[in-house]
């Protein structure tokens, strides 16, 4: 169980880093923020990838799920930057 959680955090960090590399412009997210958005992207990608795959585990991250995870994480990074950017300018 602990290794699954650590694995999810590592995969989330990788997906979050890839999402930040693919999204143009400067991002101000922290390492923890990148990991959290990557984990959420990995969960979303695993669920969407599971719809197209005959997998018994919807959270299994296969190749298609990985692609959807990166796309979801790019969108999440964009949303997070928009929300955080507005908060910084309004103060």
């Amino acid at each position: 169980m602990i290794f699954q959680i650590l694995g999810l955090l590592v995969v989330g960090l990788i997906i979050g880093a890839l999402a930040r590399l693919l999204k143009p412009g400067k991002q101000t997210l922290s390492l923890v923020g990148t990991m959290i958005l990557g984990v959420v992207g990995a969960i979303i990608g695993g669920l969407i990838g599971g719809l197209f795959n005959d997998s018994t585990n919807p959270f299994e991250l296969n190749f298609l799920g990985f692609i959807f995870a990166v796309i979801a994480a790019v969108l999440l990074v964009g949303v997070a930057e928009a929300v955080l950017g507005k908060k910084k300018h309004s103060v």
Side-chain angles (χ1 to χ4, degrees):
M1 174 84 168
I2 191 77
F3 290 114
Q4 291 174 339
I5 293 171
L6 288 174
L8 181 62
L9 293 177
V10 169
V11 168
L13 187 59
I14 292 169
I15 289 173
L18 281 172
R20 287 186 65 183
L21 284 173
L22 292 174
K23 186 183 175 303
K26 183 180 178 194
Q27 294 101 27
T28 58
L29 288 174
S30 66
L31 185 66
V32 174
T34 301
M35 182 172 36
I36 290 170
L37 292 178
V39 167
V40 172
I43 292 170
I44 292 170
L47 290 172
I48 293 172
L51 294 175
F52 295 104
N53 194 3
D54 291 335
S55 176
T56 57
N57 184 3
F59 296 106
E60 180 181 296
L61 195 61
N62 51 28
F63 180 74
L64 188 60
F66 184 80
I67 298 298
F68 283 121
V70 172
I71 293 169
V74 168
L75 295 174
L76 289 171
V77 167
V79 169
E81 285 296 316
V83 170
L84 293 175
K86 286 181 181 179
K87 286 184 179 179
K88 288 183 180 179
H89 294 296
S90 65
V91 174

